[in-house]
Amino acid sequence: MEEITFGQFVIGAPGSGKTTYCFAVEQYLTAVRREYTIINLDPANENMPYSEEKIGLDINELITLEDVMQEHKLGPNGGLTFCMEFLEENYEWFEERIKSLGNKYLIFDLPGQIELYTNHFSLRNIIQKLTKSGKINLAAIHIVDGICLTDATKFISTVLLCMNASIGMEMPMIHVLNKINLLADFPRLRFRLNDFLNTEGLKYILMSEENAEKVRLERLGKGAENEYESIKKGFFLKYKGLNSSIAEIIEDYSSVSLVPFDLTDKKYMAYIIALADKATGFNYADRYSDLEQRLEYDKIIEYMSFEAADDLQEKYLDKDNEDIL
Amino acid sequence: MESKADTPDAEMTVSASQSEDKPTCIIVMGMAGSGKTTFVKRLCSYLSEKENKSYNINLDPAVIQSPFPAHIDIRDSVKYKQVMKKYQLGPNGAILTSLNLFATQFDQVIGLIEKKQGDFKHIVIDTPGQIEAFSMSASGQVITESLACSFPTVIVYVIDTVRAENPNTFLSNMLYALSIMYKTKLPLVCAFNKTDILSHEFALTWMKDFEEFEDALNSDKSYLSTLSRSMSLVLQEFYENLNSCGVSAMTGIGFDSLLESVQKGAKEYAEIFLPDIKQRMAINEAQKKEFEDKNIQEFESDKKEEEIEAKAKEESDELNNNLESMYKDFDSLLKDVNQ
């Protein structure tokens, strides 16, 4: 009987840290002695850090962005969608190659452009075909830049993007809030990390911003320019209803829950792997190496889901005597 | 601690009536294939027929031929292909870097526009084809905020109506428009393009009658075959406030109503976004400074190509080496991971 193959596919906008994340996964799996293969489906991936012999398939074997752009006179975006469409057309070749890689854990590095998950269906079709026909279980990992935490509306914008990716690929995703460790270099955030990650917290944040806005507008109204007396609303107040309905979404869709991540701390990598394994059922597949079995993934998930946000808050986000952003 | 932006400051106050004299800035965004560039071309010629010529700016560094007459073109100061070569970047990286370079000089652009602002009623901005390069990047943010702090600014989000007939794609586009609105905090107009091929009536129906949209989704057998109540609420709230119109960049129909929507947006800007301007200006100044600090060192120095290449490689190698050494030893991994 054919055994199931497991893996994860990773998407993320350019600059989100997607490829570095994949490299970190590679290091982790090497350390715990889990056999893996890297599959690069991002034709625009520059300077890939992966070890050559670990790359099981590279889309550049089939088609390169440069060739496409030149031959068809396309810009980088048009070229990218063309590459995806071409890959879809050659799906049989793709599936055969994947199958030939055996049962190793697959790590797919996918391109991050949003069009590929919204207006175009090639990538979604490819992944869906693979998972439906090929006895392949993949977890979806979406890397986003933690810089969105510096601003409530930027954060909401990011939540919407996460929703969009999830809907586009038609599957639940683990949304990784990356580069939290880099926020140590920023002024103190207005709100605690924990507040961003659940509905009640997010509602609290929105309410605070509304109140702050009211205060600002009142002050303006008292100033020299009395045109502002008639202006009762700012952005937060005008979109009050919209804001709170978006806050509700976080709880309604577990697919939009964000997992905070610190690349420099191994616990966080273990956490994501544990979550991915749970999502795919790898944890029941009886394939953990002797080493990896010693890691208590269930406990890690339990611990981290409670402690991760506070842990990061203390490590990077709490500051003394700093100006608030 | 009170931030500077909270204290009333007569000099920094921008009055609502003042903004009426200023040209309206239209930032055009859209995904690849939406017809954005044709749209911009049509918009420019429409405006020049209707009133004075608009002041046009091209921010797409990778476009081969600019289809509209641009007063300022990013390609004049930043050579995309050279950037790719000099910094050893792929196409994505080159777009971002080109924008970064341009953003550090953007105050000059604002200055140029302000000098001539009596001559035109609209500023039209074409953004890079790769939408995230602008909508989600630091440079895109700096540029957008600089414009929004100086002129009434409206985002026009161009949608491929033909593709949007698929309810999943429609939903995606609406969510993306929403995320742009939150990111920029500016009034947004949805322009359903290509109505010469397909009317956007279905979109209007879906926005007015939510059950019709859910029916369409159901028949599509998609992952979200039933939208949760909260998702439905989000969209309904969004539609209530949304300015949208149907256009054809090809034939020119619909541009009267587009201009009306833009004017509505400009009014919204004055009523809702303008009062917050002082705060935004203060934040923008801080962001610009940080952005410049990060980028100007790189670009102003006359580093040799090899040096730059070596430095970039060094930085990424350092990160990767750190990761490698982090995971070298299983026992320390075990210790760190198991609490």
Side-chain angles (χ1 to χ4, degrees):
Chain A
M1 194 181 100
E2 235 183 283
E3 269 206 323
I4 302 179
T5 304
F6 295 85
Q8 55 183 261
F9 69 86
V10 187
I11 64 175
S16 60
K18 164 184 65 105
T19 300
T20 308
Y21 163 84
C22 290
F23 183 69
V25 171
E26 205 191 1
Q27 302 315 306
Y28 180 90
L29 295 182
T30 306
V32 302
R33 310 263 172 88
R34 188 192 304 193
E35 295 217 320
Y36 67 89
T37 314
I38 308 264
I39 293 151
N40 178 47
L41 294 186
D42 186 352
N45 225 348
E46 315 134 26
N47 304 320
M48 287 191 293
Y50 316 121
S51 21
E52 278 275 354
E53 72 268 14
K54 291 297 188 184
I55 300 179
L57 194 160
D58 188 336
I59 190 172
N60 288 298
E61 297 169 45
L62 182 69
I63 188 168
T64 71
L65 188 58
E66 239 182 275
D67 289 343
V68 165
M69 279 167 68
Q70 252 182 28
E71 252 179 70
H72 301 270
K73 304 267 185 288
L74 294 165
N77 244 33
L80 197 58
T81 46
F82 187 95
C83 288
M84 292 300 111
E85 282 162 13
F86 192 75
L87 182 63
E88 191 186 4
E89 273 166 41
N90 290 276
Y91 178 77
E92 281 80 35
W93 167 85
F94 176 67
E95 189 183 299
E96 244 187 79
R97 281 291 301 272
I98 298 288
K99 287 198 169 152
S100 75
L101 296 169
N103 276 331
K104 301 199 186 108
Y105 188 81
L106 305 174
I107 306 169
F108 289 82
D109 188 346
L110 302 188
Q113 278 73 1
I114 190 81
E115 282 98 328
L116 298 175
Y117 309 97
T118 56
N119 286 20
H120 294 266
F121 302 123
S122 298
L123 209 46
R124 184 201 69 188
N125 292 344
I126 291 166
I127 297 290
Q128 276 185 358
K129 271 195 199 162
L130 204 59
T131 48
K132 278 177 191 162
S133 70
K135 288 215 168 192
I136 297 180
N137 282 8
L138 299 177
I141 314 277
H142 177 218
I143 313 286
V144 297
D145 194 336
I147 195 104
C148 63
L149 294 167
T150 54
D151 186 298
T153 53
K154 292 207 189 357
F155 180 75
I156 291 179
S157 179
T158 300
V159 168
L160 291 164
L161 287 179
C162 290
M163 274 243 78
N164 222 350
S166 207
I167 291 171
M169 289 304 286
E170 300 196 346
M171 51 199 296
M173 285 184 174
I174 298 169
H175 303 279
V176 176
L177 201 51
N178 197 16
K179 305 193 186 179
I180 304 278
N181 48 311
L182 298 181
L183 290 175
D185 298 332
F186 280 72
R188 183 156 68 90
L189 302 183
R190 285 169 60 85
F191 303 101
R192 294 183 63 82
L193 176 55
N194 230 334
D195 288 336
F196 284 98
L197 302 179
N198 64 83
T199 294
E200 282 316 306
L202 195 49
K203 282 187 171 168
Y204 163 75
I205 290 174
L206 292 168
M207 203 178 62
S208 306
E209 293 287 30
E210 269 170 41
N211 290 335
E213 190 172 74
K214 268 191 210 144
V215 169
R216 280 199 306 275
L217 292 179
E218 274 166 25
R219 282 215 184 108
L220 277 174
K222 289 185 184 133
E225 313 291 326
N226 59 15
E227 284 133 332
Y228 291 124
E229 268 179 32
S230 59
I231 298 172
K232 300 269 186 291
K233 298 182 183 179
F235 184 88
F236 280 99
L237 293 162
K238 168 165 169 137
Y239 291 109
K240 193 180 158 87
L242 186 51
N243 293 340
S244 68
S245 54
I246 293 176
E248 294 282 359
I249 276 189
I250 291 190
E251 258 169 32
D252 241 27
Y253 287 93
S254 57
S255 62
V256 224
S257 54
L258 292 129
V259 178
F261 187 71
D262 175 3
L263 190 70
T264 64
D265 187 335
K266 298 168 211 164
K267 290 203 298 286
Y268 288 85
M269 191 74 250
Y271 183 32
I272 305 284
I273 296 291
L275 288 173
D277 285 352
K278 197 171 170 193
T280 54
F282 188 81
N283 49 344
Y284 293 123
D286 200 21
R287 296 218 211 141
Y288 288 124
S289 69
D290 287 337
L291 283 186
E292 195 169 10
Q293 272 179 49
R294 293 161 64 189
L295 296 162
E296 298 155 325
Y297 282 147
D298 285 337
K299 282 206 185 133
I300 290 169
I301 290 179
E302 207 185 300
Y303 172 81
M304 292 298 272
S305 56
F306 282 115
E307 301 292 332
D310 290 333
D311 176 47
L312 293 171
Q313 182 78 32
E314 211 185 288
K315 225 165 157 192
Y316 302 111
L317 307 175
D318 281 340
K319 292 163 214 288
D320 307 314
N321 306 317
E322 287 273 347
D323 287 335
I324 300 174
L325 198 72
Chain B
M1 194 194 93
E2 247 192 27
S3 70
K4 267 202 199 145
D6 288 343
T7 54
D9 178 352
E11 279 173 27
M12 271 181 90
T13 307
V14 183
S15 77
S17 61
Q18 252 189 336
S19 79
E20 275 168 25
D21 303 329
K22 293 195 174 186
T24 301
C25 184
I26 305 172
I27 302 180
V28 183
M29 294 198 208
M31 302 210 193
S34 59
K36 177 178 65 72
T37 307
T38 319
F39 176 89
V40 172
K41 179 179 179 192
R42 176 63 71 172
L43 180 59
C44 292
S45 60
Y46 171 83
L47 289 173
S48 77
E49 276 168 39
K50 214 171 183 221
E51 50 180 47
N52 301 344
K53 266 202 230 169
S54 50
Y55 195 88
N56 308 326
I57 302 179
N58 172 44
L59 291 180
D60 189 343
V63 72
I64 303 177
Q65 259 189 327
S66 188
F68 62 95
H71 297 79
I72 297 179
D73 193 322
I74 188 176
R75 295 170 306 159
D76 290 338
S77 36
V78 179
K79 305 294 176 200
Y80 176 65
K81 292 236 161 97
Q82 272 179 35
V83 165
M84 251 203 280
K85 190 165 177 288
K86 181 174 183 186
Y87 299 97
Q88 288 287 298
L89 298 164
N92 291 337
I95 292 182
L96 280 173
T97 305
S98 305
L99 265 179
N100 282 349
L101 275 165
F102 197 68
T104 57
Q105 306 164 15
F106 205 72
D107 278 344
Q108 292 176 41
V109 173
I110 302 282
L112 283 170
I113 303 174
E114 280 177 338
K115 267 203 203 126
K116 300 219 165 141
Q117 64 185 6
D119 297 347
F120 44 87
K121 290 199 194 138
H122 291 95
I123 307 164
V124 177
I125 317 253
D126 190 12
T127 54
Q130 186 183 86
I131 195 167
E132 292 112 338
F134 191 80
S135 61
M136 306 293 153
S137 67
S139 50
Q141 196 180 307
V142 162
I143 290 172
T144 305
E145 273 305 282
S146 300
L147 290 165
C149 288
S150 311
F151 310 102
T153 303
V154 175
I155 309 276
V156 172
Y157 178 66
V158 182
I159 296 173
D160 182 341
T161 306
V162 178
R163 280 195 191 268
E165 211 192 1
N166 176 301
N168 259 16
T169 306
F170 180 82
L171 180 60
S172 258
N173 268 289
M174 290 297 110
L175 285 178
Y176 202 74
L178 245 185
S179 69
I180 291 179
M181 194 184 83
Y182 271 91
K183 186 98 203 300
T184 60
K185 280 162 76 179
L186 288 171
L188 185 119
V189 173
C190 272
F192 286 92
N193 193 20
K194 307 190 186 179
T195 53
D196 52 315
I197 305 176
L198 179 69
S199 154
H200 75 300
E201 277 303 311
F202 71 87
L204 296 175
T205 308
W206 284 350
M207 290 194 275
K208 221 179 301 166
D209 185 344
F210 207 75
E211 274 174 31
E212 286 244 21
F213 178 61
E214 293 216 279
D215 284 343
L217 262 186
N218 276 333
S219 63
D220 202 45
K221 291 194 179 44
S222 57
Y223 164 63
L224 281 187
S225 56
T226 335
L227 286 182
S228 73
R229 194 176 154 270
S230 53
M231 173 67 112
S232 314
L233 271 175
V234 168
L235 291 171
Q236 283 173 42
E237 290 269 4
F238 180 44
Y239 297 151
E240 236 161 85
N241 289 299
L242 184 64
N243 279 329
S244 61
C245 57
V247 302
S248 163
M250 263 312 193
T251 65
I253 53 171
F255 275 76
D256 283 337
S257 78
L258 174 78
L259 196 59
E260 259 176 58
S261 294
V262 168
Q263 278 158 0
K264 261 195 224 151
K267 190 158 171 281
E268 247 181 73
Y269 172 93
E271 288 170 357
I272 287 145
F273 299 89
L274 196 56
D276 235 359
I277 271 299
K278 269 196 322 165
Q279 207 211 22
R280 287 175 81 147
M281 280 167 86
I283 295 177
N284 188 34
E285 284 308 313
Q287 280 177 346
K288 268 197 293 197
K289 178 159 191 319
E290 193 198 313
F291 179 80
E292 280 165 16
D293 287 342
K294 251 200 210 154
N295 289 291
I296 250 180
Q297 286 168 345
E298 283 289 316
F299 303 131
E300 275 191 345
S301 67
D302 220 343
K303 286 191 187 154
K304 291 207 188 85
E305 281 180 31
E306 304 88 54
E307 262 184 74
I308 295 175
E309 193 185 329
K311 181 166 185 253
K313 195 164 190 307
E314 196 187 304
E315 278 171 8
S316 82
D317 278 350
E318 198 189 320
L319 179 59
N320 292 337
N321 287 339
N322 287 344
L323 283 172
E324 268 187 62
S325 58
M326 229 171 87
Y327 289 102
K328 269 233 143 51
D329 168 28
F330 179 77
D331 285 325
S332 76
L333 190 156
L334 184 66
K335 183 167 152 284
D336 287 344
V337 165
N338 283 346
Q339 290 299 107

